[in-house]
Structures are given as C-alpha cells and as structure tokens.
Amino acid sequence: MGVVKSTLPDTALKITGEALQDTLVDLLGLSLIAKQAHWNIVGPRFRSIHLQLDEVVDAARSYADAVAERAAALGVSPDGRPQTIASACALPAPKEGWLQDTAVVELLVDALGTAVGRLREHIAATEQADLVTQELLIDITATLEKQHWMFQAEDAPLRT
Amino acid sequence: MGVVKSTLPDTALKITGEALQDTLVDLLGLSLIAKQAHWNIVGPRFRSIHLQLDEVVDAARSYADAVAERAAALGVSPDGRPQTIASACALPAPKEGWLQDTAVVELLVDALGTAVGRLREHIAATEQADLVTQELLIDITATLEKQHWMFQAEDAPLRT
Amino acid sequence: MGVVKSTLPDTALKITGEALQDTLVDLLGLSLIAKQAHWNIVGPRFRSIHLQLDEVVDAARSYADAVAERAAALGVSPDGRPQTIASACALPAPKEGWLQDTAVVELLVDALGTAVGRLREHIAATEQADLVTQELLIDITATLEKQHWMFQAEDAPLRT
Amino acid sequence: MGVVKSTLPDTALKITGEALQDTLVDLLGLSLIAKQAHWNIVGPRFRSIHLQLDEVVDAARSYADAVAERAAALGVSPDGRPQTIASACALPAPKEGWLQDTAVVELLVDALGTAVGRLREHIAATEQADLVTQELLIDITATLEKQHWMFQAEDAPLRT
Amino acid sequence: MGVVKSTLPDTALKITGEALQDTLVDLLGLSLIAKQAHWNIVGPRFRSIHLQLDEVVDAARSYADAVAERAAALGVSPDGRPQTIASACALPAPKEGWLQDTAVVELLVDALGTAVGRLREHIAATEQADLVTQELLIDITATLEKQHWMFQAEDAPLRT
Amino acid sequence: MGVVKSTLPDTALKITGEALQDTLVDLLGLSLIAKQAHWNIVGPRFRSIHLQLDEVVDAARSYADAVAERAAALGVSPDGRPQTIASACALPAPKEGWLQDTAVVELLVDALGTAVGRLREHIAATEQADLVTQELLIDITATLEKQHWMFQAEDAPLRT
Amino acid sequence: MGVVKSTLPDTALKITGEALQDTLVDLLGLSLIAKQAHWNIVGPRFRSIHLQLDEVVDAARSYADAVAERAAALGVSPDGRPQTIASACALPAPKEGWLQDTAVVELLVDALGTAVGRLREHIAATEQADLVTQELLIDITATLEKQHWMFQAEDAPLRT
Amino acid sequence: MGVVKSTLPDTALKITGEALQDTLVDLLGLSLIAKQAHWNIVGPRFRSIHLQLDEVVDAARSYADAVAERAAALGVSPDGRPQTIASACALPAPKEGWLQDTAVVELLVDALGTAVGRLREHIAATEQADLVTQELLIDITATLEKQHWMFQAEDAPLRT
Amino acid sequence: MGVVKSTLPDTALKITGEALQDTLVDLLGLSLIAKQAHWNIVGPRFRSIHLQLDEVVDAARSYADAVAERAAALGVSPDGRPQTIASACALPAPKEGWLQDTAVVELLVDALGTAVGRLREHIAATEQADLVTQELLIDITATLEKQHWMFQAEDAPLRT
Amino acid sequence: MGVVKSTLPDTALKITGEALQDTLVDLLGLSLIAKQAHWNIVGPRFRSIHLQLDEVVDAARSYADAVAERAAALGVSPDGRPQTIASACALPAPKEGWLQDTAVVELLVDALGTAVGRLREHIAATEQADLVTQELLIDITATLEKQHWMFQAEDAPLRT
Amino acid sequence: MGVVKSTLPDTALKITGEALQDTLVDLLGLSLIAKQAHWNIVGPRFRSIHLQLDEVVDAARSYADAVAERAAALGVSPDGRPQTIASACALPAPKEGWLQDTAVVELLVDALGTAVGRLREHIAATEQADLVTQELLIDITATLEKQHWMFQAEDAPLRT
Amino acid sequence: MGVVKSTLPDTALKITGEALQDTLVDLLGLSLIAKQAHWNIVGPRFRSIHLQLDEVVDAARSYADAVAERAAALGVSPDGRPQTIASACALPAPKEGWLQDTAVVELLVDALGTAVGRLREHIAATEQADLVTQELLIDITATLEKQHWMFQAEDAPLRT
C-alpha cells in the first residue's frame, strides 16, 4: 500500500483493485487454457483452430500485462502467481490429454463467455470508481467478444 | 471561431475547450521538463532514468498533438506558444543546472501527480460536455499514471 | 439470430444493433464517395486533396470492418450489400463526372458533418445499452471530426 | 470530357471506356459481396474462408483503383458511386443474414465465374482499341481465375 | 554485336533495338527534365508539385534501367551517354532559371504527352517483332499516361 | 496415445516424455514468476530489472511452446494447465505483494539455478533415449545459464 | 478434369495446358540444375557466380509456382513430380562432381537459351488460345533472357 | 576429392558423405512431392493444407541447401540433379492428377515418417564420424517430426 | 561545472557554451512555433503546409537534442526550461488564433531567416573555439536554410 | 535572383554558386557514365563491377540532389538540363558499345580522379565563402575518393 | 571465481573454461585478421573477396561474444584484451601492407583450417565436461568449415 | 605504395596517414577494451552499463572501418593486426578478471578521455593537410565526447 501512492480515494480503489485482480487471473488462466488446447487439439480443423488459439493466447497475455500494470499504477500489488491462478481463475479447464477439435471450439465458447460475463460486471462496478480502469476493461471485452463470435461461428452448423 | 464550425453546442464547447487548452499546456510543459531532466541528470542511475525520460517526452509530445488537433476539430484554436506555456503550465519546473538522479525521480513523481490531478478534474467536467474528448483525456491519464507508478517504484526504497 | 448467441439482453441488443447497422452503411457509403472524389477531382489542389481522400477511404473501410464484426460479435448479422448501401446510406453523393477541387472540399465537409451528426445520436443511444459499442462509436467520431476540421480548414478562406 | 485530353482516338476511347466502367462496377461489387460473406459466414470452415475472402476483397479494391485511374488517364470520368454499383454490377449478391460456409464457397465460384466471363469479352474488345488497357484486364483476369480455382477446389468433394 | 547472342532474328532485332534505344533516351531525358523542375519550381503549389516530380523521376529512372537491360538482353548495346541524350531526346526542355508552378505543370503535360506518343508508335512496331519488349513498353506507357492525367487534372481549372 | 504415433520405442519414449513434461511446467512456472516480479518490483534498480525480467518471460514462453510441441511430436500429450503448474512446478514462488529489487535478483538466481539443475538431469537421461530432445534441452539450458549469470552479476557486490 | 471447371474452350485448353506443363518441368529442372552448380562450382569467380545462381533458382522456383497454379486455375492438373522432371525436362544437366566456373557459365548460357527457345514457341502457340497464359510466359521469358545476357556477358572475353 | 580438402579422416568422411547425400535427395524429393500436393489438392480442407504444404516445401528447400553445403564443406561433391532425385529418393510419390485432401494428409504422414526413419539411422551412424554433421541431421529431424505430428493430428478423427 | 569535466580550455568553453545555449532556445522555440502554426493554419494550402511544418518540428526537436547533449558533453549544463525559452528565444512568435496559410509561410520565412542569422554568427565564433561544435552548427544551418528556401519558394508568386 | 533571397553576401554567393553548379554537372554526368558502363560491361568480372557501378550511380544521384537543393537554398537556380550536362561536364565519357571489364575499371578510376580534383579546388575556394557548402563538398569528396580507391584496388595487379 | 557460481563441478569447469578461452582468442584474432585483409586486398577479385571477408568478421565477432558470455555464465572470467590476443591467438597473421587477392585466399584457408583444428580438439574434450558448451563449439565449427570450403573453392583452379 | 595512387601531395599524405593509423589502433583497442568490460562487469549497475558498453563497441568498430578505408582511399595501407594494436594502442587496459561496475565507469572515462585528447591533436594537424580526413576525425570526436559525458554522469555522485 504505502509503496506506490494511489490517485484514487479508498473506496474507489478497493472496487477497482478487485476488478483488476479478478480480470488478471481470468486472463492468465485463459492464456494457459488456450495454449493447452493449441498443443492437444486433433481433428480435421487442427491447423485452422491451432492458429486461432495463438491469437487468443497473444491477446490474453498482452491484456494481462496491461491489467497488472494498471493495478500497480493505482498502488495495488497484482497477484499472478501459479497458485493464485489455480485457485482463483473462474474459467473451465480442458480435460487431460488430446482434445477433439469440436470439443476445443465448445471449450473456448464457454471460457470466453464466462470471462465476458465477469468483465461486464466489473465494467458496471467501475463506472463510478475509475473511468480509466473501466476503459481498459471495455477494450478487453471488445476483443474477447470478437473471439467469442468467431468460435461460435465455427460451431454454428453443429447446433442447427 | 466561425472559421471551423463546431459539432458541439456552446456551453459544452466552452467546457471542453478549456479542458483541452489546460491539458495542452501541461503536456507541452511536461515534454520540456522531462527533456531538461534527460539532459541534466547525473548519478548512478543516469542511463536508466535518462532513457525512461525520453519515453515521457515521446508520450507528452504525441498526446499534445492529439489534444491540440482535438481542439481544432471542435473549432477552438489551440495555443501552445512559448509564452503561453511559461505562464499557464501548472507543473513544477526543475531547478537550474545538473540534477541528481534521486531529485529527478522526485521531480517526475510530483509533475506527473500534478498533471494527473488536473486531468481527472477535466475527465469529470467533460462527462456531460463531450464523451469524445473525455475518452482522449482518459487515455492520457492512463499513460501518465503508468509513468507515475514507475517513477514511484524507482523511489520506493528511499521512502521506507 | 440463434446462430451466434448475444451477451446483451434483448432491448439493449435492438438499440445497439440498429446503431451499428446505420453506422456500417454510412461508413461504406463514405468510402465509396471519397473514392469517387479521389478519381474525379480536378483543379490546383488536385494532388493534395487526392491524397487526403485516400486517408478518408482507409479510415472508413477499416472502421466499417470493425463495426460489422462488432455487430456479428453481438449476434446481429451485418448488412453491407450494394443495394443496402444505395438505399440506406444517409450521406450526400457527388454529382456525375469530373469534380472541381473546391466542390470536393464542400462535399466532404457536408458528408462528414452528416456522418458525425448520426454518430453522436448513436453514442447517446448506446450509453445505457452497451458501453463496448459506444466506445467504438466514440473512436469513429473522433477520427471523422478530425477529417471534418481538416476539410473545413482547406475551405476557410473561401467562406470569409 | 475536355477536362483531361485522351491519347486515344474517339472510337477506341468509347470501347475502352465502356470496358473500364463495366469492370469498375464489377470489382467494387465483388469487394462488397466478399466483405458481406466475410462477416456473415458460419460453419466448420469459418476461419479458413473468412481469411480467404479478405484476399478477394484486397484484390478487388486494388484493381478497382487501378481501373478507375486508367479510365481517368484516358480522359473518361469513372463512376463508382453507390447507386451506380447497385444498378450496374452484374454479379450475384448474397442473401440476407448468416451464410453457411458451403453456400459462401458456391457464391464465390459463381461471382468470380461471372466476373471472369465479362472480363474475357472486354479483353477481346480492347485488342484493337488499347493494348495498355487490355494488359490491365489480363492481369485482373489472372488473379480472379486463380481465386476461382481455389474456391472450386474447396468445393470439389461436394460435387463428385 | 557478336558479344551477346540475340534470341531474335535480324529484322525483328533491328526494329526492337531502335524502339528500345529511342525509349531509353526519352526516359533519361524525362528524368533530368523532371529533376530540373523539382529544383527550380516556385509558387503556391511548390511543395505539392515538387514531391510529385520526384515520382516521375523515380519512374523514369527505373524504366530506363529496365529498357537498357532489355536491349542488352537482346544483344544490342544501349547508349545513354550525356551527348546521346542531349542530341536524341525528343522531349521539350524547361527554360533556364526559376519556373513558375503553372509553367511546370504545362511542361510536364507536354513532355509526358510527347513521350507517350512515341511509345505508342513503338508498341505498334514491336507487335510482330518481339512481344516481350512490347509488354515492357506497354507498362511504361501505363505509368506515363497516369502521370499525364494527374498533371492535366492539376491544370484543369486554368483551361475552362 | 494411439492418436499420434511415436517415432521412438516405448522405453525411450517414457524417459523423454517425462523430461519434456517436467521441463514444460518449470518453464511455464518461470514465465509466471518472472512476470509477477516484473509487476511488483520496487527500488533503485526498478527499470533495469523490470526490463530484464521480460527477457526471461519471453524466453520461458518461447521454450515452453517448443517443449510442448516436441512432446506432441513424439505422441505424448503435454499438460500445461493451471492446476498442473501449481502442483508440479519445482521453482520457488515470490512472496505476496511488492518486492524489493535486491530480493527479486536473489529470487531469480535461485529459480534459474533450480531450473538448470533439473534440466541437466534430463540432458543426461535423454542421451540414450532421444538426441533430438536432448538438443532442445541443451539449448534451453544455455539460455537459462546465461540469465543465471546476469542476475548473479547484478548481485555480486552484495556478496563480497 | 471435371474437378475444376475451365474458363477456356477445349481446343484452347489443350494448347494452353501443354504449354504450361512443358514450362513447368523446364523451370523445375532449371531450379535443380542451378542449385547443383551453386553447390559444386570452383574457381576464381566462385563467390560471384555462386550468388548469381541463387537468383536463377529463386526466379525458377517462383515462376514454377505461378505456372502450376495457372494450370490448376484453368482446370489442368500440373505434374511436377521427380520422375516427370527427370524424363520431360529439356534442359542440359551438369556432369557429376565439382564444376569449373567457366564451365558453369557455359552450362547456364546453354540451359537458359534452350528454355527461352521453348518459351518463345509457347508464346506463339497461346496467342489465340489464352492471352492470360501468354502474358505469364512473356514475363518468364523476359526474366530468363535477362539472365541469359548476364551469363553471356560473364563469358564474353573468352569468346573473342 | 582433391579440390576441397576435408577436415575429417577418410573413414569418417565416407560415412558422413553418404548420410548427407541420402538426406539431400530425400529433402529435394520431399520439396517436390509437397509442391505437387500443394497444387493438386482438392476438398474442404484445401486452403488449410495448401498453406501448410508450403511450410514443408520451405523447410525442405532450406535444409537441402544446408546439407549440400555441409557436404561441400567436408570436400564431398553433393549430387542433387533431377535424375539422381528420381532414382535415389526413398519417399513415396503422389499419384498423377488431383488429390483429395484426406489422401494428401496420409501421403505426407507416410513421406515424413519415411524421411525421419532414414534420418535417425544417419544420426546414429554419424555419432562417431562427425558431431557437426550429426547436429545438422538432428535439427532436420526435429522439424520433420513436428510436421509429422501436425499431419497426424489432422488425420486423427479418421482413425478412431 | 565540476560535475562533467570539459575537454576544452576555459575561454573556448565559454564561447562554445554560449553558442550552444543560444541555439538550443532558438530550436526549442522554433519547434513550438511550427507546431502552433501546424495546428492553427487555414486556407487552400492547409494540408500541404500542415505537413511541411511537421518536418520543421522534427528537425528542430532532433537538433535541439543534439545541441543540448553537445553542451553536456563539454561540461555545460543546458537550459531548455519553459521560462528560459519564453525569455531567451529570438524568433518571432505567431499571433493568437487561426492563421491564414499565406501568413504562416511569411512567419516561417522570417523565423528561419532569424535563426540562420544567429547560427552563422555562432559558426564564425566557434571556428577557433571548437571545430566539433562548429560542425554541428553547420549541419543545423544547412537544414534550416533548405527549409528557408522551400518556404520562400511557396511565397514567390505573391512577391513579384 | 530576387525569387529566393540569399543568406550570403554577393561575392561569397558568386564563388559558392559556381562551385555548386560545376559539381552538379559533374555528378549528373558521373551518374550517366556509370549507368552506361553498368549496362555495357562484359568480361569475367561482369557481375562484380556491374553491381559496384550501381553504388556509384546511387551516390552520384543522391549528391546531385543535395548539391542542386543547396544552390536553391542560397538563391541560385541550379541547371541540370541535358544540354548543360553534355556541354559542361568535365568527366571522360565511355566509348560507344560494349565495354571490356578492364576498360570499365580504368574509365572509373579516371572519371572519379577528375571529379575529385575539381572538388578539391572548390573546397579550397569555399573556405572563406560558405562553410556550409564546403562541408557538403567534403562529404562528396570522401565518398568519391573511397570509390576511387576501390576501382584502383581492382586494377592493381594489372599495373605492377 | 566466487563472484559467479558455476553449475559445473571443478574438473569439468577447468576443461570447459580452457576450451572457451582458447576459442575466444582465436575468434577475436580471426576477426582482426579478416578485417586487415578486407582493407588491404588488391587484385581482380577485390570486391568479391572484400565483401566475403566481412561475413567472416561478422561471424567471428558474434561467436566471440557468445563464447565469452558462455564462459561468464559458467563462472569463468573471459580474457579478450589486446595483449592476450597478441600473445595467445594461434592463427597466422597477414604480412604488413597491401595483399594480393590470391594471397588473401590462401591466408584465409590457412587461418580457418587452423581454427577448425583447434575447435575439433575442444569438441572432443568437452564431450564429458559440458554438452552445452560442446554444442556452441559445434555451431562455430560448422560456420568456419563452410567459410573454409568457400575460400578453397575460390582457390581451386590454382591448385590443379 | 604505388598500388593505390594518392590524391594528396607527399607532406600532407604523411601527416594524414599518421593521424589515421594512430586513430585506427586507438579505436580497435577501444572496441576490445569495452567488450572486455562488457563481459566482466559485476555490481548493481551490471545491466545498465553492460548495454551501454556495446554502444561504445559498435561505434568504435564502425569508425575503425571508416578510418582504415579512409587511409586506403588515400593510398596508405592501414595496419590493424593484433600485434600492432597490442604495441601501439595508447588507451589503458582493464585488469584481469571480474570488474566492479564503479571501476568500469572510471576505466571508460579514462580511456575515452585519452582517445579524445589524441584525436584533438590530429584534428589540429590535419587542418592544413586534408579537410576530408579532418571531418572524419571531428565526427569520431563528437561521438566519443558524448560517451565521455555519459560515463562521467554515471560517476558524478561518487566524486562530490
């Protein structure tokens, strides 16, 4: 706390700090889940989904860095240690072993949907607390919702 | 006035124009202050801070351009002339001559803190007046608060 | 509908979907109008305006893609077919044949002004419906207002 | 007319001007059709075809610019306004709403086949009228025939 | 002769060699004329035309190299020495001293028009002699006719 | 198993698969630990170590990808899920909260030393099992030993 | 056949398909011959010719790809398998073992001359059959004739 | 032999030279086979496999160059002439004509498996003869085994 | 003084230090003046001069950095603080508000002329004092005199 | 005169203007002579010298531009028209037709030697007149003397 | 010692440290020798060998850095001071003054042969001591043996 | 001697040749000394100084090349062999083994100070002998004096 002095008042800082910490573990978790699928996917869409998953990984890593540094900028120490991710990440993990391509698409639709749901709650919560943080959460949501659509579009003919 | 027709009503334009003009002089002042420190710093952290200061200069110059062109886009003539900066910039200037590295770190913490304080007031003021301008001010605040943290982090062990 | 599941409730989705569809046809129309002027302009400012028009085209195409993909991300099928643009685009079209440079500048001031007016209505409408979409519309408005100023600045001495 | 002096005699100019104007509206139409499919495609080949469609868009836009500027270079004002594309483009438009990937492949095979057919007529017509324009039409045909093959190759197993 | 063995029969070689040599001196002359105007232009369109002239210079130099190496490839020694350009180049030279911008535009319209006229004769002449050379001449004509249009478009309002 | 057929016999595959899986979790753990320190470091060497830690992160991520894909290439499904890293990574984790720069240097010296110790055991174990995997482990060791030296060199004056 | 539908009538297709297949094997053969010389050349011009041969290889590979894809675009399956090259390539192969630099220059003059001779026959043959294919063959001929000159120029003083 | 003096003793040179010559013809053969499939593939995975095959071609060409130059560096003249590839390459060739995408995947799995099998024999043989050559063969094997996995992963659901 | 030890004797240092300090404030002032004009210019040459002014800004900023670091290299602390620029810069400032394009051209001709006049005095003064500094001043003068010509060339027809 | 106002007094301007005009024609002549040799050279050093000549051409063109714009910057209209080069260039021209490589090397040694001799006279003459111009002439001399050495080094064994 | 803690046991460290130190002085010596030849070479192959020598310099410098940092990584202080190179480098130095191109080729064949001989001894010695260092030495040997071949190939016709 | 003919008279050549030879050995020595420090530095400023030293190395290597080629251009054979550097370089060498960061800073301040002192003598000596060489020495001095300041600035607080 005393190490980096915040530009926000205490109540606003508490709300904002929690929004950022929650988002950080979700994004780090998403980057690990998408990499796991990138390595273990099999099936006729292997190459196509294998490549798309790395776009998810790149976005998740890049936003995790922005979120953690935003927390630090406000004077809140971010926590992205392995144990923290394992216990606090809210996203569904893939099962062990090779993953059929159709199962990967479903996994990503679910994981991205969950992440977006949590982000939209934090966007609402930071409206009064810190517009600067809110804008960052809006940017992340835009990117994850785009990926959410693309994985759903892959999945579409299986649902009709 | 009259030269470039505004897309904003008069009251909103007045608030927004003042927010942009204040921010312009602060950013131009910041770019000059950070360059002054870039040239005059001495001490064991010379190279490390010397390089970081140029990141502040680049950000300040780039945002000053965006702010001034935003004012013009709304029909308000921006004023970034030397005399105007000298009289209107709210940030603390470094003393004459060589500057010890620890003093430079403190100077930047103060200057960035002051600039952020003024920006947060303008963000509040433009909420009703012009969301497009508000978003630009939010972006600038995010960048300056990140630099604010990094200079505080440099300074940390000296405070405990 | 049904194909891509939306992360928005129905009322919010309806408002947001209309804002995005209106903006899509305006941006596609703007890209075609600016290209038409790019090819047909004549006069002593030919080269200068010819080059600036391609900046408008690039921005309009790039934002049209972002807007259409934002609609898809929300589960709304975007419509950018030729007939749709011809019937729904709200911007003024240039007359047939070669265009004097002064007329091109006026045309762009008008077209950009119209587009900005419609965008500002959609920014207000999406405030409650979807902040993620609102931010995209704010970005587009910032870019179009900047072009609006630059074409007005070209035109300035002719008005006084 | 009269504004830009042609280097071609009148008869040759009439034939060449019509070939270029027809090609311009087909290419602009193709760029809009392919973008519409790029946004609305669903199915297991979503990502693969989504990316390929942007190659078609890029080629169509780039050649439309070359064709329009070739017309201008000969003294013929090119017409690429929204209404003109809607009424004069000879290519089949996609239906409203989401598009199954197999339907997109068929649509592109048809649209590209139609465009190539019209281009080959104009190549024959410009043989005597203007070899410079003919060469441009040959280049465009080479590119569209390559895309025509690639969409047919995607489609192949469904036909046997 | 004899040094590099031609892949063309003698009659075809003679026609092709003359077409290439004529084009070489015109292009080298064009590059010098456009540079002279680039340096000596004055007037309110100074910067705009100054930059465009360097595009003409770049194109003329690059095509001169291609033409001379095409001649060598056919076994014909190309001649681009200063005396040869001075005596054989068919394009109009600018007057001594500073050049008003309007005069530069007219000069380029004339020089490019002359060069295109000569190229179209050589395109006709090489139809039977060498299609490979003809294609190169067609490419050059396309580029020069585009510049011809752009300088005419600059000039347009002065003519009506 | 069975999904991807291995080019190695069973015994060799077992040894190699374990070496790769162990290395994978150490590298993923290292990338998270170094990022945690990158965000939480404070002190006069903040900027210098902050930047160096991102070099460690980049190397750890890139090698983790190579190691996981090497396992897949041999027919062994790699496991890099959050829970697996939390339970199987052998490297020391940083404490919660801000970290003094001197403590970060020590943490990295320890973590890199531990990782190198485990890698050297796997290099020995794969000598008979698979030279292709061994070479990859050698490359990783070279890079981590270089970072190990650089963090020790930072630390040197504190030890004498 | 039947798999990819041709845009050419049958007779034209037969002529064009043979021209493309012949050119394909010559270009693939040329790429292998030039690489063989690149590896085995010795003598005082080693480095100079070694580097030039890779320009020949790059051109031959790139055009082989264009030619094969042109055949596919017309609905003709291209054949570039090792046995086909060995039996159908018309160009002279180098002898086994190290090659003196002077012998390499002569070999390339001969191989390029043979390839150009065959290409010029196919250019004539495709004039009526397919102008799009003809243009591709013209481009290839231009490039090979340029290399033909450069190897002859290397050889010149040995012939006089 | 006498042309380039070897740094290896005779026995070691013989073993190493044969390993390199065998690998050279396999890699050149692989590059031709993968290109043949790149041109002739049809089916719903056309674009995805078409692009992946060019990665195989690039790797095979690049390693063939490294292998041939390694042979030359040891004083052994490499032989990559068309006839040699046709007679000595150990990899299975595709059948004539268009190739279904599933058949292409199987072909590549077989060809890469065969190449890897031969490489692993040469890695064992060069352990005593030349560690420098052995390392090159290990690098090639790592790359081909990675491709081997990726084509198997594409194929996976067809096998279960 | 004592902080950085000079390589020049005292008298030479005094002359050189003053030349550098004077040049520093002129260049920083020029960068602010040219930016002010870049934002406030209106008229038919808006885009052309708007872009050219940024070339002046870039040059002025880059040379200001070189000049200040040259002073530091000689042991003289450079002073580029806002108050110093406001009081010591010798160049004419633009009036408040929008600026007609013709007035901007005149302003730049005057400002550049003044700056060059001062630089030529310092070039003479440093001939004996420090050739290293003199060369830097010569470089700056060359660049400013080139800009001086280009703004005069813009202005030319208005003067005759 | 009068059009662009000089920063030099009349006598200095006369000396400087003549030095620049002489250098301009020599550099333009050198660029044409070196290109002529680039196209017409034959012999065993063809490729090596052919490439080096283009370095001379690039340097000559680039410096010609700098010299002409330096003249303009001083208010002196530069003259680089074909007739002026033909009559005023002091460098030896190559003979007509193909040129043996040894003759090209000698030609360049002579041409560069002549150019350097003239430049050294102008360097002496501008010492009092204009140090800014002198520095440009010094830079050109450095580059031409480097080329002079390299062509002499090529020639060396033929002279001993 | 003591400053950087080694990951190797003492005996292995001694062998590895000596191998690295010997290689360091040979590579630094090679970089100086090749530069000396680069500057002093004369003869008809001047340009060709002059350029190739810089490839040797670049490789030698880059590997020297890798070798020295590898020593440091193991806790052994590397010594690359001028006196150490002069006394410990095992490679033959060129004679004073200009060097005929044929003599340069011989010098490089000898120097590279000597360096390779020493490296192969160190590769054998580090097999048990440190596989990580051995791999680095193998990489260096591969590069130097490639250069060794290329200089021998230049020399070949003089030996037969 | 006699091999490359000088453009300078004998006396001037002698002075200039000695200035260049002295500078060459100092710069080569400086590049080796700075690399030695780059590898052996330890202490809390390790990374910061380690990186700065490579900037010194790059500058020293690049200028050494320019100086040696300048000597050759004047007909003087440059001598940069290991023995020559060891015996003629005037700069202080670092002691054997690891180097504390503070000692490295002092070493560089001394080495750069010595080099600058020698350069300033040669600048004075070449004023009459060769202005082209003098300019090169001035450029080198500017760069070394800038480094000299930066290492002094690092050192500053230790001196007060």
Side-chain angles (χ1 to χ4, degrees), chain A residues 19 29 37 45-46 49 95-96 115 119 129 151:
Chain A
R45 281 185 278 175
F46 165 78
I49 306 298
K95 70 173 181 63
E96 196 181 0
L119 276 159
F151 279 100

Side-chain angles (χ1 to χ4, degrees), chain L residues 8 57 102 130:
Chain L
L8 292 185
V57 172
T102 48
D130 183 26

Side-chain angles (χ1 to χ4, degrees), chain I residues 32-47:
Chain I
L32 293 168
I33 290 166
K35 261 296 179 200
Q36 177 74 3
H38 171 82
W39 297 323
N40 283 285
I41 185 172
V42 294
R45 281 184 279 174
F46 165 78
R47 189 171 184 275

Side-chain angles (χ1 to χ4, degrees), chain F residues 116 120 123 127 134-135 138-139 141-142 145-146 148-149 152-153 156 159-160, chain K residues 2-8 69-70 72-74 127 129-133 135:
Chain F
V116 164
R120 285 197 166 269
I123 289 170
E127 174 85 33
Q134 190 195 40
E135 190 182 83
I138 286 171
D139 284 348
T141 305
E145 286 183 343
K146 184 177 168 184
H148 191 225
W149 149 55
Q152 286 186 83
R159 288 194 170 179
T160 49
Chain K
V3 172
V4 178
K5 197 176 141 192
S6 187
T7 52
L8 292 185
E69 300 199 339
R70 177 75 200 142
L74 292 173
E127 174 84 32
D130 183 24
L131 288 175
V132 182
T133 295
E135 191 182 83

Side-chain angles (χ1 to χ4, degrees), chain C residues 99-127:
Chain C
L99 300 165
Q100 189 66 27
D101 49 8
T102 49
V104 168
V105 170
E106 273 180 43
L107 175 71
L108 264 289
V109 171
D110 289 354
L112 290 162
T114 305
V116 165
R118 303 233 302 169
L119 277 159
R120 285 195 166 268
E121 286 171 22
H122 293 312
I123 288 171
T126 50
E127 174 84 33

Side-chain angles (χ1 to χ4, degrees), chain F residues 70 131-132 135, chain H residues 19-28 30 56 59-70 112 115-120 122-123 132-148:
Chain F
R70 178 74 200 142
L131 288 174
V132 182
E135 190 182 83
Chain H
L20 288 164
Q21 177 62 31
D22 283 3
T23 304
L24 176 61
V25 293
D26 280 1
L27 288 169
L28 290 172
L30 179 60
V56 176
R61 283 176 176 172
S62 171
Y63 279 127
D65 205 54
V67 162
E69 299 198 341
R70 178 75 200 140
L112 290 162
V116 164
R118 303 233 300 171
L119 277 159
R120 286 196 166 269
H122 294 312
I123 289 170
V132 182
T133 294
Q134 190 195 41
E135 190 182 84
L136 174 57
L137 302 178
I138 285 172
D139 283 349
I140 298 169
T141 304
T143 297
L144 297 195
E145 285 183 344
K146 184 178 167 183
Q147 289 292 336
H148 191 225

